[in-house]
Amino acid sequence: MTLLRRHLIWLGRLSVVVSIVERLVPDELWELFQRVVPEAPSRPQGGGRRRHGDREVLAAIVFVAMSGCTWQQLPSASFGPSGATAHRRFAEWTNARVWAKLHRLILDELGARGELDWSRCAVDSVNMRAEKGGLTGPNPVDRGKYGSKIHLITERTGLLLSVGISGANLHDSQALIPLVKGIPPIRSRRGRRRRRPGKLHADKGYDCDHLRRWLRGRGIRHRIARKGIESSTRLGRYRWTIERTMSWLAGCRRLHRRYERKAEHFLAFTSIACTLICYRRLTK
């Protein structure tokens, strides 16, 4: 009777783990992830502990990103791998650029279905405090407290095409060119891949003549607000979509405040949030 009871308890825990993993990593997302994840390293000498499944570890990483908990607070009973195992696999996949590849793969799927509108794009940034680490700096709008900044470009409906991070003291205008260059060549429903929007909207933080010349040289029309000339009340007429995307990013609680010392790890969580936003559009 005791063995039967233990077996039933084990089956109950297993069903809970499976339901949580499938909810956080649906089958479609798992199939896409399998196309970009590197193969597990083999042990030439053999032996060793059994390696946790990639899907369970991915679900644990997504849980950390969305809930904002620390790796030590990860409920291993609900996922299987411990916080240390999930963090170690997260670092391995970050070094292999898995998150950027997954984001680009989902953008390709959206582009092939005609879900991306290249007629108009918007650029902006969002600040958050940071304890320490690379790519941090004193925030001029937060009493000089150290922080980081996320720069992003979205297409007309608000899907993220390119993201980057910097210190909070970096002026927005210095991030525009790297962001535009960082847009990958994305598939289209018809014709060749595309990486240049038809028009770019930006606020007064990007009011620089050399940026206008650079955009014209690449065949991109621009609508950049001019300081001291245009009213701020009309800046959100076409840029409200990127403000909505920032609120979507806030759904990833790990981005509310930067705790990662390594800049690449903070960028990885940003890419995970962008991937989940684009994946939700893909499943509609």
Short mmCIF file of all heavy atoms in Angstrom, two decimals, residues 35-101:
data_model
loop_
_atom_site.label_atom_id
_atom_site.label_comp_id
_atom_site.label_asym_id
_atom_site.label_seq_id
_atom_site.Cartn_x
_atom_site.Cartn_y
_atom_site.Cartn_z
N ARG A 35 15.32 23.58 -33.91
CA ARG A 35 16.05 23.90 -35.14
C ARG A 35 17.26 24.78 -34.89
O ARG A 35 18.12 24.91 -35.77
CB ARG A 35 15.10 24.58 -36.13
CG ARG A 35 13.96 23.67 -36.60
CD ARG A 35 12.86 24.44 -37.31
NE ARG A 35 13.33 25.20 -38.44
CZ ARG A 35 12.54 25.95 -39.22
NH1 ARG A 35 11.24 26.01 -38.95
NH2 ARG A 35 13.04 26.61 -40.24
N VAL A 36 17.35 25.40 -33.72
CA VAL A 36 18.46 26.32 -33.45
C VAL A 36 19.34 25.88 -32.28
O VAL A 36 20.45 26.38 -32.13
CB VAL A 36 17.93 27.74 -33.18
CG1 VAL A 36 17.20 28.29 -34.39
CG2 VAL A 36 17.01 27.77 -31.95
N VAL A 37 18.85 24.97 -31.45
CA VAL A 37 19.62 24.58 -30.27
C VAL A 37 20.77 23.66 -30.69
O VAL A 37 20.60 22.79 -31.54
CB VAL A 37 18.71 23.87 -29.24
CG1 VAL A 37 18.19 22.54 -29.77
CG2 VAL A 37 19.44 23.68 -27.92
N PRO A 38 21.97 23.85 -30.16
CA PRO A 38 23.09 22.97 -30.51
C PRO A 38 22.92 21.60 -29.88
O PRO A 38 22.19 21.42 -28.90
CB PRO A 38 24.31 23.71 -29.95
CG PRO A 38 23.77 24.55 -28.84
CD PRO A 38 22.39 24.95 -29.26
N GLU A 39 23.62 20.63 -30.44
CA GLU A 39 23.57 19.28 -29.90
C GLU A 39 24.23 19.22 -28.53
O GLU A 39 25.17 19.96 -28.24
CB GLU A 39 24.25 18.30 -30.86
CG GLU A 39 23.54 18.16 -32.19
CD GLU A 39 24.21 17.12 -33.07
OE1 GLU A 39 25.20 16.50 -32.59
OE2 GLU A 39 23.75 16.90 -34.20
N ALA A 40 23.74 18.32 -27.71
CA ALA A 40 24.29 18.16 -26.37
C ALA A 40 25.71 17.59 -26.47
O ALA A 40 25.97 16.68 -27.26
CB ALA A 40 23.42 17.23 -25.54
N PRO A 41 26.65 18.13 -25.70
CA PRO A 41 28.02 17.59 -25.74
C PRO A 41 28.06 16.17 -25.19
O PRO A 41 27.33 15.83 -24.26
CB PRO A 41 28.80 18.57 -24.86
CG PRO A 41 27.78 19.16 -23.94
CD PRO A 41 26.50 19.22 -24.73
N SER A 42 28.90 15.37 -25.77
CA SER A 42 29.04 13.98 -25.33
C SER A 42 30.27 13.84 -24.44
O SER A 42 31.23 14.60 -24.56
CB SER A 42 29.16 13.05 -26.54
OG SER A 42 30.29 13.40 -27.34
N ARG A 43 30.24 12.86 -23.57
CA ARG A 43 31.36 12.57 -22.68
C ARG A 43 32.18 11.43 -23.28
O ARG A 43 31.70 10.29 -23.37
CB ARG A 43 30.84 12.18 -21.30
CG ARG A 43 30.18 13.31 -20.55
CD ARG A 43 29.50 12.80 -19.29
NE ARG A 43 30.41 12.07 -18.42
CZ ARG A 43 31.15 12.62 -17.46
NH1 ARG A 43 31.08 13.94 -17.26
NH2 ARG A 43 31.94 11.90 -16.70
N PRO A 44 33.41 11.71 -23.72
CA PRO A 44 34.22 10.62 -24.31
C PRO A 44 34.46 9.48 -23.34
O PRO A 44 34.54 8.32 -23.76
CB PRO A 44 35.54 11.33 -24.67
CG PRO A 44 35.20 12.78 -24.74
CD PRO A 44 34.11 12.99 -23.74
N GLN A 45 34.56 9.78 -22.04
CA GLN A 45 34.82 8.74 -21.07
C GLN A 45 33.56 8.00 -20.65
O GLN A 45 33.63 6.98 -19.96
CB GLN A 45 35.50 9.33 -19.82
CG GLN A 45 34.61 10.23 -18.98
CD GLN A 45 34.58 11.66 -19.47
OE1 GLN A 45 34.86 11.92 -20.64
NE2 GLN A 45 34.24 12.59 -18.59
N GLY A 46 32.39 8.51 -21.08
CA GLY A 46 31.15 7.87 -20.72
C GLY A 46 30.75 8.16 -19.29
O GLY A 46 31.45 8.86 -18.53
N GLY A 47 29.62 7.61 -18.87
CA GLY A 47 29.16 7.78 -17.50
C GLY A 47 28.61 9.17 -17.26
O GLY A 47 28.24 9.89 -18.18
N GLY A 48 28.55 9.54 -16.01
CA GLY A 48 28.02 10.85 -15.64
C GLY A 48 26.53 10.81 -15.37
O GLY A 48 25.85 9.79 -15.57
N ARG A 49 26.01 11.91 -14.90
CA ARG A 49 24.59 11.99 -14.61
C ARG A 49 23.78 12.16 -15.89
O ARG A 49 24.27 12.63 -16.91
CB ARG A 49 24.31 13.18 -13.68
CG ARG A 49 24.90 13.04 -12.28
CD ARG A 49 24.47 14.21 -11.42
NE ARG A 49 24.96 14.08 -10.06
CZ ARG A 49 24.72 14.97 -9.10
NH1 ARG A 49 23.98 16.05 -9.38
NH2 ARG A 49 25.20 14.78 -7.89
N ARG A 50 22.51 11.75 -15.77
CA ARG A 50 21.62 11.92 -16.92
C ARG A 50 21.37 13.40 -17.15
O ARG A 50 21.09 14.16 -16.21
CB ARG A 50 20.30 11.19 -16.65
CG ARG A 50 19.30 11.29 -17.81
CD ARG A 50 18.00 10.61 -17.44
NE ARG A 50 17.36 11.30 -16.35
CZ ARG A 50 16.56 12.36 -16.51
NH1 ARG A 50 16.34 12.85 -17.72
NH2 ARG A 50 16.00 12.93 -15.45
N ARG A 51 21.47 13.82 -18.38
CA ARG A 51 21.27 15.23 -18.74
C ARG A 51 19.78 15.53 -18.79
O ARG A 51 19.01 14.79 -19.40
CB ARG A 51 21.92 15.51 -20.10
CG ARG A 51 21.81 16.96 -20.58
CD ARG A 51 22.47 17.09 -21.95
NE ARG A 51 22.26 18.40 -22.54
CZ ARG A 51 23.08 19.43 -22.38
NH1 ARG A 51 24.16 19.29 -21.64
NH2 ARG A 51 22.84 20.59 -22.97
N HIS A 52 19.39 16.64 -18.17
CA HIS A 52 17.99 17.04 -18.19
C HIS A 52 17.59 17.42 -19.62
O HIS A 52 18.39 17.93 -20.41
CB HIS A 52 17.75 18.23 -17.26
CG HIS A 52 17.75 17.87 -15.81
ND1 HIS A 52 16.69 17.27 -15.19
CD2 HIS A 52 18.70 18.02 -14.85
CE1 HIS A 52 16.96 17.07 -13.91
NE2 HIS A 52 18.18 17.52 -13.68
N GLY A 53 16.34 17.17 -19.95
CA GLY A 53 15.84 17.46 -21.29
C GLY A 53 15.86 18.95 -21.59
O GLY A 53 15.63 19.79 -20.71
N ASP A 54 16.11 19.27 -22.85
CA ASP A 54 16.18 20.69 -23.24
C ASP A 54 14.84 21.38 -23.07
O ASP A 54 14.80 22.58 -22.74
CB ASP A 54 16.64 20.80 -24.70
CG ASP A 54 18.11 20.46 -24.87
OD1 ASP A 54 18.83 20.47 -23.85
OD2 ASP A 54 18.54 20.18 -26.00
N ARG A 55 13.74 20.67 -23.27
CA ARG A 55 12.44 21.31 -23.16
C ARG A 55 12.15 21.71 -21.72
O ARG A 55 11.61 22.81 -21.47
CB ARG A 55 11.34 20.38 -23.68
CG ARG A 55 9.97 21.05 -23.78
CD ARG A 55 8.99 20.19 -24.54
NE ARG A 55 7.71 20.86 -24.72
CZ ARG A 55 6.70 20.37 -25.43
NH1 ARG A 55 6.85 19.18 -26.02
NH2 ARG A 55 5.57 21.04 -25.55
N GLU A 56 12.49 20.85 -20.76
CA GLU A 56 12.28 21.19 -19.36
C GLU A 56 13.16 22.37 -18.95
O GLU A 56 12.72 23.27 -18.22
CB GLU A 56 12.57 19.98 -18.47
CG GLU A 56 11.54 18.87 -18.56
CD GLU A 56 11.68 18.05 -19.83
OE1 GLU A 56 12.74 18.19 -20.50
OE2 GLU A 56 10.75 17.30 -20.16
N VAL A 57 14.41 22.39 -19.41
CA VAL A 57 15.30 23.50 -19.08
C VAL A 57 14.81 24.79 -19.72
O VAL A 57 14.85 25.87 -19.10
CB VAL A 57 16.74 23.17 -19.52
CG1 VAL A 57 17.66 24.35 -19.25
CG2 VAL A 57 17.25 21.94 -18.79
N LEU A 58 14.35 24.71 -20.97
CA LEU A 58 13.82 25.91 -21.63
C LEU A 58 12.61 26.44 -20.88
O LEU A 58 12.46 27.67 -20.72
CB LEU A 58 13.45 25.58 -23.07
CG LEU A 58 12.83 26.72 -23.89
CD1 LEU A 58 13.77 27.90 -23.99
CD2 LEU A 58 12.45 26.23 -25.29
N ALA A 59 11.73 25.56 -20.42
CA ALA A 59 10.58 26.01 -19.64
C ALA A 59 11.01 26.69 -18.35
O ALA A 59 10.43 27.71 -17.94
CB ALA A 59 9.67 24.82 -19.34
N ALA A 60 12.05 26.18 -17.71
CA ALA A 60 12.56 26.81 -16.49
C ALA A 60 13.12 28.19 -16.79
O ALA A 60 12.92 29.14 -16.01
CB ALA A 60 13.62 25.92 -15.86
N ILE A 61 13.83 28.35 -17.90
CA ILE A 61 14.39 29.66 -18.27
C ILE A 61 13.27 30.65 -18.58
O ILE A 61 13.33 31.82 -18.17
CB ILE A 61 15.35 29.49 -19.47
CG1 ILE A 61 16.57 28.66 -19.06
CG2 ILE A 61 15.78 30.85 -20.00
CD1 ILE A 61 17.49 28.30 -20.22
N VAL A 62 12.26 30.21 -19.28
CA VAL A 62 11.12 31.08 -19.58
C VAL A 62 10.42 31.49 -18.29
O VAL A 62 9.99 32.64 -18.13
CB VAL A 62 10.14 30.37 -20.55
CG1 VAL A 62 8.86 31.17 -20.70
CG2 VAL A 62 10.80 30.17 -21.91
N PHE A 63 10.31 30.57 -17.34
CA PHE A 63 9.68 30.89 -16.06
C PHE A 63 10.48 31.96 -15.32
O PHE A 63 9.90 32.90 -14.75
CB PHE A 63 9.57 29.63 -15.21
CG PHE A 63 8.96 29.86 -13.86
CD1 PHE A 63 7.58 29.93 -13.70
CD2 PHE A 63 9.76 30.01 -12.73
CE1 PHE A 63 7.01 30.15 -12.46
CE2 PHE A 63 9.21 30.23 -11.49
CZ PHE A 63 7.83 30.31 -11.35
N VAL A 64 11.79 31.84 -15.32
CA VAL A 64 12.63 32.85 -14.67
C VAL A 64 12.47 34.20 -15.36
O VAL A 64 12.38 35.25 -14.70
CB VAL A 64 14.10 32.40 -14.67
CG1 VAL A 64 15.02 33.52 -14.20
CG2 VAL A 64 14.29 31.18 -13.77
N ALA A 65 12.41 34.20 -16.69
CA ALA A 65 12.28 35.45 -17.43
C ALA A 65 10.94 36.13 -17.16
O ALA A 65 10.87 37.35 -16.98
CB ALA A 65 12.46 35.19 -18.92
N MET A 66 9.87 35.36 -17.13
CA MET A 66 8.54 35.95 -16.99
C MET A 66 8.21 36.29 -15.54
O MET A 66 7.55 37.29 -15.28
CB MET A 66 7.48 34.99 -17.56
CG MET A 66 7.68 34.66 -19.03
SD MET A 66 7.79 36.13 -20.09
CE MET A 66 6.15 36.81 -19.86
N SER A 67 8.66 35.47 -14.60
CA SER A 67 8.31 35.71 -13.19
C SER A 67 9.27 36.69 -12.52
O SER A 67 8.91 37.34 -11.54
CB SER A 67 8.30 34.39 -12.43
OG SER A 67 9.60 33.83 -12.37
N GLY A 68 10.52 36.76 -13.02
CA GLY A 68 11.50 37.64 -12.41
C GLY A 68 12.18 37.06 -11.19
O GLY A 68 12.94 37.77 -10.51
N CYS A 69 11.96 35.78 -10.88
CA CYS A 69 12.59 35.17 -9.72
C CYS A 69 14.07 34.93 -10.00
O CYS A 69 14.52 34.95 -11.14
CB CYS A 69 11.90 33.86 -9.36
SG CYS A 69 12.18 32.51 -10.54
N THR A 70 14.82 34.70 -8.95
CA THR A 70 16.24 34.38 -9.09
C THR A 70 16.39 32.91 -9.48
O THR A 70 15.45 32.10 -9.36
CB THR A 70 17.00 34.67 -7.79
OG1 THR A 70 16.49 33.80 -6.76
CG2 THR A 70 16.80 36.11 -7.37
N TRP A 71 17.60 32.56 -9.89
CA TRP A 71 17.85 31.16 -10.25
C TRP A 71 17.72 30.27 -9.02
O TRP A 71 17.28 29.12 -9.13
CB TRP A 71 19.23 31.02 -10.87
CG TRP A 71 19.40 31.75 -12.16
CD1 TRP A 71 20.07 32.91 -12.37
CD2 TRP A 71 18.87 31.36 -13.44
NE1 TRP A 71 20.00 33.29 -13.69
CE2 TRP A 71 19.28 32.36 -14.37
CE3 TRP A 71 18.11 30.29 -13.89
CZ2 TRP A 71 18.94 32.29 -15.72
CZ3 TRP A 71 17.77 30.22 -15.24
CH2 TRP A 71 18.18 31.22 -16.13
N GLN A 72 18.09 30.76 -7.84
CA GLN A 72 17.99 29.96 -6.62
C GLN A 72 16.53 29.72 -6.22
O GLN A 72 16.22 28.73 -5.56
CB GLN A 72 18.73 30.64 -5.46
CG GLN A 72 20.24 30.67 -5.61
CD GLN A 72 20.70 31.77 -6.57
OE1 GLN A 72 19.90 32.62 -6.97
NE2 GLN A 72 21.98 31.76 -6.93
N GLN A 73 15.63 30.64 -6.61
CA GLN A 73 14.22 30.51 -6.27
C GLN A 73 13.43 29.66 -7.25
O GLN A 73 12.23 29.46 -7.06
CB GLN A 73 13.57 31.89 -6.18
CG GLN A 73 14.11 32.76 -5.07
CD GLN A 73 13.56 34.18 -5.12
OE1 GLN A 73 13.16 34.66 -6.19
NE2 GLN A 73 13.56 34.86 -3.99
N LEU A 74 14.08 29.14 -8.28
CA LEU A 74 13.38 28.33 -9.27
C LEU A 74 12.85 27.06 -8.62
O LEU A 74 13.62 26.30 -8.02
CB LEU A 74 14.33 27.97 -10.41
CG LEU A 74 13.74 27.09 -11.53
CD1 LEU A 74 12.71 27.88 -12.33
CD2 LEU A 74 14.85 26.60 -12.46
N PRO A 75 11.55 26.78 -8.71
CA PRO A 75 11.00 25.56 -8.10
C PRO A 75 11.37 24.33 -8.91
O PRO A 75 10.69 23.97 -9.88
CB PRO A 75 9.50 25.83 -8.09
CG PRO A 75 9.27 26.79 -9.22
CD PRO A 75 10.50 27.64 -9.30
N SER A 76 12.45 23.67 -8.53
CA SER A 76 12.92 22.51 -9.29
C SER A 76 11.91 21.37 -9.28
O SER A 76 11.88 20.56 -10.21
CB SER A 76 14.26 22.03 -8.73
OG SER A 76 14.13 21.70 -7.36
N ALA A 77 11.07 21.30 -8.24
CA ALA A 77 10.07 20.24 -8.20
C ALA A 77 9.04 20.39 -9.30
O ALA A 77 8.39 19.41 -9.69
CB ALA A 77 9.38 20.23 -6.83
N SER A 78 8.88 21.60 -9.81
CA SER A 78 7.88 21.84 -10.87
C SER A 78 8.45 21.65 -12.26
O SER A 78 7.68 21.49 -13.22
CB SER A 78 7.32 23.26 -10.73
OG SER A 78 6.72 23.45 -9.47
N PHE A 79 9.77 21.70 -12.41
CA PHE A 79 10.37 21.61 -13.74
C PHE A 79 11.33 20.43 -13.89
O PHE A 79 11.49 19.91 -14.99
CB PHE A 79 11.13 22.91 -14.06
CG PHE A 79 10.25 24.13 -14.12
CD1 PHE A 79 10.12 24.95 -13.01
CD2 PHE A 79 9.54 24.43 -15.26
CE1 PHE A 79 9.32 26.06 -13.06
CE2 PHE A 79 8.72 25.55 -15.31
CZ PHE A 79 8.61 26.37 -14.20
N GLY A 80 12.00 20.04 -12.83
CA GLY A 80 12.98 18.97 -12.93
C GLY A 80 14.39 19.48 -12.69
O GLY A 80 15.03 19.13 -11.70
N PRO A 81 14.93 20.31 -13.58
CA PRO A 81 16.29 20.83 -13.37
C PRO A 81 16.33 21.85 -12.24
O PRO A 81 15.36 22.57 -11.98
CB PRO A 81 16.63 21.47 -14.71
CG PRO A 81 15.32 21.83 -15.32
CD PRO A 81 14.38 20.75 -14.86
N SER A 82 17.46 21.91 -11.56
CA SER A 82 17.65 22.89 -10.50
C SER A 82 17.97 24.26 -11.10
O SER A 82 18.21 24.39 -12.31
CB SER A 82 18.77 22.44 -9.57
OG SER A 82 20.01 22.39 -10.29
N GLY A 83 18.01 25.27 -10.23
CA GLY A 83 18.35 26.60 -10.71
C GLY A 83 19.75 26.67 -11.26
O GLY A 83 20.00 27.37 -12.25
N ALA A 84 20.69 25.96 -10.63
CA ALA A 84 22.07 25.97 -11.12
C ALA A 84 22.17 25.32 -12.50
O ALA A 84 22.89 25.81 -13.38
CB ALA A 84 22.97 25.24 -10.12
N THR A 85 21.44 24.23 -12.71
CA THR A 85 21.45 23.57 -14.01
C THR A 85 20.84 24.46 -15.08
O THR A 85 21.36 24.59 -16.20
CB THR A 85 20.68 22.24 -13.94
OG1 THR A 85 21.31 21.38 -12.97
CG2 THR A 85 20.67 21.55 -15.29
N ALA A 86 19.70 25.11 -14.76
CA ALA A 86 19.06 25.99 -15.73
C ALA A 86 19.96 27.18 -16.07
O ALA A 86 20.05 27.57 -17.24
CB ALA A 86 17.72 26.48 -15.18
N HIS A 87 20.64 27.73 -15.07
CA HIS A 87 21.53 28.86 -15.33
C HIS A 87 22.72 28.42 -16.18
O HIS A 87 23.16 29.16 -17.07
CB HIS A 87 22.00 29.47 -14.02
CG HIS A 87 22.94 30.62 -14.20
ND1 HIS A 87 24.31 30.48 -14.18
CD2 HIS A 87 22.71 31.94 -14.42
CE1 HIS A 87 24.88 31.64 -14.37
NE2 HIS A 87 23.93 32.55 -14.52
N ARG A 88 23.26 27.25 -15.90
CA ARG A 88 24.40 26.77 -16.69
C ARG A 88 24.00 26.55 -18.14
O ARG A 88 24.73 26.93 -19.07
CB ARG A 88 24.93 25.49 -16.07
CG ARG A 88 26.16 24.93 -16.76
CD ARG A 88 26.82 23.85 -15.92
NE ARG A 88 25.89 22.80 -15.55
CZ ARG A 88 25.42 22.60 -14.32
NH1 ARG A 88 25.79 23.41 -13.34
NH2 ARG A 88 24.58 21.61 -14.06
N ARG A 89 22.83 25.95 -18.37
CA ARG A 89 22.36 25.75 -19.75
C ARG A 89 22.03 27.08 -20.41
O ARG A 89 22.26 27.27 -21.61
CB ARG A 89 21.14 24.85 -19.73
CG ARG A 89 20.82 24.16 -21.07
CD ARG A 89 21.70 22.95 -21.30
NE ARG A 89 21.51 21.96 -20.27
CZ ARG A 89 20.57 21.01 -20.29
NH1 ARG A 89 19.72 20.94 -21.30
NH2 ARG A 89 20.50 20.12 -19.32
N PHE A 90 21.49 28.03 -19.64
CA PHE A 90 21.21 29.37 -20.16
C PHE A 90 22.50 30.04 -20.65
O PHE A 90 22.52 30.67 -21.72
CB PHE A 90 20.54 30.20 -19.07
CG PHE A 90 20.42 31.67 -19.37
CD1 PHE A 90 19.44 32.14 -20.22
CD2 PHE A 90 21.30 32.58 -18.79
CE1 PHE A 90 19.34 33.51 -20.49
CE2 PHE A 90 21.20 33.93 -19.05
CZ PHE A 90 20.21 34.40 -19.90
N ALA A 91 23.57 29.91 -19.89
CA ALA A 91 24.85 30.49 -20.30
C ALA A 91 25.40 29.80 -21.55
O ALA A 91 25.94 30.47 -22.45
CB ALA A 91 25.85 30.40 -19.15
N GLU A 92 25.25 28.49 -21.63
CA GLU A 92 25.72 27.77 -22.82
C GLU A 92 24.97 28.22 -24.06
O GLU A 92 25.58 28.47 -25.11
CB GLU A 92 25.54 26.26 -22.61
CG GLU A 92 26.42 25.66 -21.53
CD GLU A 92 26.13 24.19 -21.32
OE1 GLU A 92 25.27 23.64 -22.06
OE2 GLU A 92 26.74 23.57 -20.43
N TRP A 93 23.66 28.31 -23.96
CA TRP A 93 22.86 28.72 -25.12
C TRP A 93 23.07 30.18 -25.46
O TRP A 93 22.99 30.56 -26.64
CB TRP A 93 21.39 28.43 -24.83
CG TRP A 93 21.07 26.96 -24.80
CD1 TRP A 93 21.83 25.95 -25.31
CD2 TRP A 93 19.91 26.35 -24.22
NE1 TRP A 93 21.22 24.74 -25.08
CE2 TRP A 93 20.04 24.95 -24.42
CE3 TRP A 93 18.80 26.82 -23.55
CZ2 TRP A 93 19.08 24.03 -23.99
CZ3 TRP A 93 17.84 25.92 -23.11
CH2 TRP A 93 17.99 24.54 -23.33
N THR A 94 23.36 31.00 -24.47
CA THR A 94 23.65 32.41 -24.76
C THR A 94 24.95 32.54 -25.54
O THR A 94 25.03 33.31 -26.51
CB THR A 94 23.74 33.20 -23.45
OG1 THR A 94 22.49 33.13 -22.76
CG2 THR A 94 24.07 34.66 -23.73
N ASN A 95 25.97 31.80 -25.16
CA ASN A 95 27.24 31.83 -25.91
C ASN A 95 27.07 31.31 -27.32
O ASN A 95 27.80 31.74 -28.23
CB ASN A 95 28.29 31.01 -25.17
CG ASN A 95 28.68 31.61 -23.83
OD1 ASN A 95 28.57 32.82 -23.65
ND2 ASN A 95 29.11 30.79 -22.90
N ALA A 96 26.12 30.39 -27.53
CA ALA A 96 25.86 29.86 -28.87
C ALA A 96 24.88 30.72 -29.66
O ALA A 96 24.49 30.33 -30.76
CB ALA A 96 25.33 28.43 -28.77
N ARG A 97 24.45 31.88 -29.11
CA ARG A 97 23.53 32.81 -29.78
C ARG A 97 22.20 32.14 -30.14
O ARG A 97 21.60 32.41 -31.17
CB ARG A 97 24.19 33.41 -31.03
CG ARG A 97 25.39 34.28 -30.75
CD ARG A 97 25.95 34.89 -32.03
NE ARG A 97 24.93 35.61 -32.76
CZ ARG A 97 24.54 36.84 -32.50
NH1 ARG A 97 25.09 37.50 -31.50
NH2 ARG A 97 23.61 37.43 -33.22
N VAL A 98 21.74 31.26 -29.27
CA VAL A 98 20.50 30.54 -29.54
C VAL A 98 19.31 31.48 -29.53
O VAL A 98 18.41 31.38 -30.37
CB VAL A 98 20.31 29.41 -28.51
CG1 VAL A 98 18.91 28.81 -28.60
CG2 VAL A 98 21.35 28.32 -28.74
N TRP A 99 19.29 32.45 -28.61
CA TRP A 99 18.13 33.32 -28.47
C TRP A 99 17.98 34.24 -29.68
O TRP A 99 16.85 34.46 -30.15
CB TRP A 99 18.24 34.12 -27.18
CG TRP A 99 18.65 33.29 -26.02
CD1 TRP A 99 19.80 33.39 -25.30
CD2 TRP A 99 17.92 32.19 -25.44
NE1 TRP A 99 19.83 32.44 -24.31
CE2 TRP A 99 18.70 31.70 -24.37
CE3 TRP A 99 16.69 31.59 -25.73
CZ2 TRP A 99 18.28 30.62 -23.58
CZ3 TRP A 99 16.28 30.52 -24.95
CH2 TRP A 99 17.05 30.05 -23.90
N ALA A 100 19.08 34.78 -30.17
CA ALA A 100 19.00 35.63 -31.37
C ALA A 100 18.57 34.81 -32.58
O ALA A 100 17.78 35.28 -33.42
CB ALA A 100 20.36 36.29 -31.62
N LYS A 101 19.05 33.57 -32.69
CA LYS A 101 18.67 32.71 -33.81
C LYS A 101 17.18 32.35 -33.74
O LYS A 101 16.49 32.33 -34.76
CB LYS A 101 19.52 31.44 -33.81
CG LYS A 101 20.99 31.67 -34.09
CD LYS A 101 21.76 30.37 -33.99
CE LYS A 101 23.26 30.58 -34.21
NZ LYS A 101 24.04 29.33 -34.06
#
